[in-house]
Every structure is written in structure tokens, then in C-alpha cells.
Amino acid sequence: MIESFIRYNYNFFDHMVIIDNGCTDNTIDIIQSLISEGYKIHVFNESLESYNQFRLDNKYIKKILNEIVPDIIIPLDADEFLSGIDNPRSLLENLSLDRIYYITWRWYVLSDKDDVTEAFIPKRLLYSLDKPPYNQIDGSEVTKVIIPAKYFSEMKLTLSAGHHTVFGKSNPKIEKIKQLFIAHYRIISDTHLTSKLMCYVMRGIVSMELTTKQTSHRTNQLAIIERGGSLLETAIDVSYSGYPKNVIYNPLNLSFCEPESIKLKYSISSEDSLIQSVLHTGQEMAIRTYNLERKHKEKPYLKPIILWLDGFTESDIFVPNPSNRSILLTSMYNVRGYVTEINELKFLKVNYRLLITPEWLKFLPYKYIVVPNGVEVNDVKTKLEPYIINKEIIISEREYLQKIGPFLMIWSLILFIPSLLCTGLSYTKKNGIKKTINSIRNRLSVKQDK
């Protein structure tokens, strides 16, 4: 979905800002590839935040207003494609900037005539509802907003959840226009529905932000599938979202796009996407649970850090083998986890800390990534560059000790001895004195030349 969204919409925009609220599929990899092609895209990581579109949208609208200073902001979900009766770019450039604009959806649905081999979404789904979607309560059309940036700021407005309206203390000038509309592709296949349902329900279980009203339709749909209902029939039904099934052949006009601009390069099979989405969402939930457990064990006043794994052994299998110095750092400071580029070590534990690969860094809170002495910091920066926006947070062990200062260093030393004693007593209780002594002896005999 994301590649179709970016390649199509970029024909009409100068700049895109994308919020990563915990993507676990290949979405971010595709975005990075498009950035490498020259697309002007900023990605902001909000993976540690619970899903709350209202809060995140308004947070980043303020950021965009202050840092990018655009003329117009068009909030879109990744399944929405801007279009109009003429080239959307030309229509946008002719809008007056002294009011807010409301436009409607064109709602596309699944049908048995879809070209399931087509990866580019606007070429795949060709049938839409014969009328724009409307509110079930009063019959009014569902709107989406176009925001002239300076006017929005001057009027001190707020964007509603779902990008449907704006509101504020003052009464802004609102104009509904028909020249522009948003094509909405809610469900693009039965596999897409299954992935959305499974992942959304898992996130709904752990989120304190989502209400019953927001999640109930997902759990109801999943229950139909679990009872053995037809997946395709359920997907088609869901794509209508309760609206009358009056559809027309209504393909999106692609003549406004440069033909080369909408050719996809990074699409993957939907089945692989389903497997990966469900697996990775489960892993994400497990990491969030780990964070809750680990947080309760950390020392007060010290921000969590992540350590670069500075050693491993390889025989029949890969086994993490950090240096004694690294183990000492783990005992003294709030190490939330280790990071390594070796995929075979992903999700193991080292000194009761989770070991992750770089793409999972966004799910662990940390202030710095600390590189133990003996490892070249610049090498680590190069390896982590695709995953870290600010490379300045990757620092050496010596730099980290300087940053925390003498007070927190002494504080850590004070807490270190009882922490070490507790760990030793716990290990002895589980393994016996003899094995504990042998384990310490073996560890101390390891050469520290890594």
C-alpha cells in the first residue's frame, strides 16, 4: 500500500511527512528506498506511543508549521489518494489561502472483477460507491480537510480525529468544494483484511487509548472469520462499511500522473506480507511487555541506554558473549537492551536484557546507544545509520560516563554492590554454590581482547 500511496500522491505534493507509529512490516524499508530515489520525505518515529491519531496529527501539524512552513497541509491516511476533476496540483495552487476546505471521499470497494495480480492500488480496485460516504446519524457527507497552513495557525485551530473537520475557539471560514476529492481504498484484498484484523486486535488488547467503539467492529469481523465464514465474502462486505451496495465502474484518473512515477519497484506478495505482519506485530507486543517488566527493575534518576553487543561465539550456532566490561556496564547502569547486526541472536537475552537487531530499536526507549571500549564508534554509526535519525546519540563508553557526570556515576556505584549481590544470590539459589563459583571463574578467565 505505502509505495502506491507515495508514488501517486507525490505527483501533487512538494514534501511528505510520515509518522511511524510502530510499523512492523517492510513499510519503512520501502520509504527509505524512495528517499534514496530522491523523494522528499521526513519520517518521524513514534513507535513507543500508543495509537492516538488525534494527538499525533496535531503534534506534527505544529511541527510542520514551524519547521517546514508550507502553504497547504493535506492530512492523509496511507489508504487515501488525492484526486479531482482536473490535475489536483493545479487545483491546489488556485485555492485561496484564507479559509479551510472540506472535500469528500470517493469510496472504493472490493469486487470479483478486481485484478488481484495488480500491485498498484488505483489500478487494482476500479469500482466505487455511487455516492460519497455519509454520516449514518444525519445523512451529511463525510468530509476530509485541506488546510491552508498560515490561516490554520492564525485561527489557532485543531484538527479532529480522522482529519474530517477542524475546530477552535474562533469560527473559521469553511468552504466545501467538489473540484477535489480523496479516493479511499479501505480494503484491497481478503489477505489485507486478515492482516489488519489480526494486527489491530492485538494492538487493541494492549492499548489504553482505543475505545470499545473503535475496536468492536474489528473484533466482530474477526469473529466471523474464526467461525469459518468466507474470508472473501467478509472482506467484500467490510469494504462497503455498511453503505448500500450500489457501485459503479469508476477507475481513478491516472492521467494527472507521469507514467514512470507510478511504476512500483518494491512490492511483495500479499501472503508474505500477511505472515510478516502478524508475526512482527506479535513480536512488537512482546517487546512492549518486556519494557514494562524491565522498567520496574531500573535505577532511579538514570535514563535507559542500549549497549552495542561487543562479542559473540560461533560454532554450530551463534551465542552472545559480551566482554566482562560490557557485563559490568549492564550491572551498573540502566541498560534496557543490547543491539547487534547478527540476526541469529535477535530476541535472545544477555544478562536478562533483550538482544535486538537494529530495525527493532524503535521499540525500546533509550537516551543513548553506548559502544563499549574496544569497539570503533564510527563503525557502529555506519551500521546503524539507516535506523537512527540522530547519529549523535551513538557514543562511546567514555563519552557516556562524561555525560552522566560524577554525581550519577557515584550514585550508580552505590547501587551497584547490592544489585550485584542480589544477582549473585539469585543465581546461587538456582544453580548451587559450586556451579556459581565455576561460572565466575570461567567468566573472569575470558580474555578481554575483543
Side-chain angles (χ1 to χ4, degrees):
M1 180 75 83
I2 192 66
E3 188 180 2
S4 294
F5 168 83
I6 291 174
R7 289 195 184 277
Y8 173 87
N9 284 307
Y10 201 82
N11 281 278
F12 317 121
F13 303 145
D14 296 321
H15 198 132
M16 285 186 172
V17 172
I18 295 177
I19 313 303
D20 175 9
N21 195 207
C23 291
T24 56
D25 55 15
N26 65 340
T27 293
I28 300 303
D29 292 337
I30 290 173
I31 293 172
Q32 292 298 338
S33 296
L34 290 166
I35 291 172
S36 298
E37 288 185 27
Y39 285 78
K40 196 171 183 180
I41 303 171
H42 272 83
V43 181
F44 293 98
N45 178 27
E46 290 285 355
S47 299
L48 294 175
E49 287 289 320
S50 297
Y51 178 75
N52 185 320
Q53 186 184 46
F54 171 78
R55 182 178 67 237
L56 292 177
D57 283 343
N58 284 285
K59 172 183 176 179
Y60 282 95
I61 281 181
K62 289 180 181 178
K63 189 175 184 69
I64 291 166
L65 289 170
N66 293 329
E67 298 180 10
I68 299 176
V69 196
D71 293 319
I72 294 175
I73 299 173
I74 304 179
L76 295 174
D77 293 329
D79 55 6
E80 296 178 330
F81 295 65
L82 183 68
S83 190
I85 60 174
D86 200 349
N87 188 312
R89 177 74 189 208
S90 299
L91 294 170
L92 288 170
E93 289 176 345
N94 288 319
L95 291 177
S96 173
L97 302 181
D98 63 351
R99 68 201 65 190
I100 302 294
Y101 295 93
Y102 287 177
I103 61 177
T104 59
W105 265 329
R106 179 189 289 179
W107 192 285
Y108 282 84
V109 298
L110 292 180
S111 78
D112 55 7
K113 299 180 180 65
D114 298 334
D115 181 0
V116 296
T117 64
E118 175 60 59
F120 185 64
I121 305 306
K123 290 183 178 180
R124 180 182 183 126
L125 272 64
L126 307 177
Y127 290 81
S128 75
L129 299 179
D130 62 348
K131 297 178 182 178
Y134 54 86
N135 291 299
Q136 304 284 353
I137 297 174
D138 60 9
S140 61
E141 290 182 337
V142 176
T143 59
K144 303 287 283 189
V145 301
I146 294 176
I147 300 173
K150 186 177 179 180
Y151 183 76
F152 182 90
S153 179
E154 289 175 348
M155 298 295 287
K156 299 180 180 179
L157 300 175
T158 299
L159 180 64
S160 72
H163 319 143
H164 296 298
T165 59
V166 298
F167 61 92
K169 293 181 180 178
S170 55
N171 293 318
K173 188 185 295 183
I174 305 291
E175 182 179 346
K176 292 185 178 180
I177 55 175
K178 297 293 185 182
Q179 304 98 302
L180 289 162
F181 63 87
I182 291 175
H184 184 215
Y185 299 88
R186 187 185 187 209
I187 301 293
I188 61 173
S189 70
D190 52 358
T191 305
H192 179 227
L193 172 66
T194 305
S195 175
K196 286 185 73 171
L197 291 182
M198 291 182 174
C199 297
Y200 196 94
V201 169
M202 278 192 278
R203 289 194 172 100
I205 291 171
V206 300
S207 174
M208 296 294 108
E209 301 281 358
L210 298 173
T211 65
T212 299
K213 184 178 180 181
Q214 289 174 295
T215 56
S216 58
H217 63 291
R218 302 287 190 194
T219 57
N220 286 199
Q221 293 157 9
L222 186 60
I224 294 172
I225 296 172
E226 290 176 338
R227 286 197 298 266
S230 167
L231 181 56
L232 180 58
E233 289 179 7
T234 303
I236 291 175
D237 186 61
V238 169
S239 73
Y240 285 87
S241 193
Y243 292 110
K245 296 183 178 180
N246 302 321
V247 300
I248 56 175
Y249 179 73
N250 201 12
L252 194 63
N253 188 349
L254 300 178
S255 66
F256 307 133
C257 304
E258 292 292 333
E260 290 297 315
S261 72
I262 55 176
K263 289 184 178 179
L264 304 187
K265 297 180 181 180
Y266 312 114
S267 58
I268 61 173
S269 76
S270 59
E271 289 190 1
D272 287 342
S273 177
L274 169 63
I275 293 169
Q276 291 176 6
S277 293
V278 175
L279 173 62
H280 291 169
T281 300
Q283 291 168 332
E284 174 200 342
M285 296 302 104
I287 293 174
R288 291 186 186 278
T289 303
Y290 164 82
N291 279 327
L292 293 174
E293 293 282 338
R294 187 72 251 164
K295 182 179 180 180
H296 291 304
K297 299 178 183 294
E298 290 177 343
K299 304 173 181 68
Y301 309 121
L302 281 170
K303 298 290 185 181
I305 62 173
I306 290 178
L307 280 185
W308 177 262
L309 181 68
D310 62 355
F312 65 92
T313 57
E314 178 186 1
S315 51
D316 294 335
I317 58 173
F318 287 91
V319 178
N321 186 27
S323 66
N324 287 344
R325 179 67 185 172
S326 180
I327 292 173
L328 187 65
L329 289 173
T330 305
S331 300
M332 289 185 64
Y333 304 107
N334 284 343
V335 175
R336 182 58 65 97
Y338 284 83
V339 61
T340 179
E341 59 184 339
I342 301 168
N343 199 54
E344 290 84 352
L345 298 179
K346 179 175 62 182
F347 301 141
L348 291 175
K349 292 283 183 62
V350 181
N351 304 318
Y352 304 102
R353 270 68 169 190
L354 187 65
L355 184 54
I356 56 170
T357 43
E359 68 271 21
W360 294 94
L361 277 169
K362 63 185 182 181
F363 293 111
L364 290 184
Y366 59 91
K367 188 172 180 63
Y368 299 108
I369 297 175
V370 178
V371 181
N373 295 339
V375 179
E376 180 54 51
V377 175
N378 287 331
D379 289 345
V380 176
K381 287 185 176 181
T382 300
K383 291 172 181 176
L384 296 182
E385 184 175 10
Y387 310 94
I388 302 294
I389 294 176
N390 178 16
K391 291 194 294 183
E392 299 307 309
I393 64 171
I394 305 173
I395 60 176
S396 69
E397 177 187 334
R398 294 183 185 89
E399 289 174 306
Y400 175 67
L401 296 179
Q402 290 172 359
K403 287 183 179 296
I404 64 173
F407 172 77
L408 286 178
M409 196 182 304
I410 294 170
W411 172 249
S412 300
L413 285 169
I414 292 172
L415 297 179
F416 169 64
I417 295 176
S419 173
L420 190 64
L421 285 174
C422 287
T423 302
L425 290 172
S426 176
Y427 187 89
T428 302
K429 185 176 180 180
K430 295 175 183 177
N431 299 280
I433 294 176
K434 185 175 181 180
K435 186 174 181 179
T436 300
I437 292 173
N438 287 336
S439 178
I440 295 172
R441 185 178 296 152
N442 290 335
R443 169 48 67 179
L444 291 175
S445 69
V446 175
K447 294 182 179 180
Q448 299 300 302
D449 58 354
K450 299 172 184 176

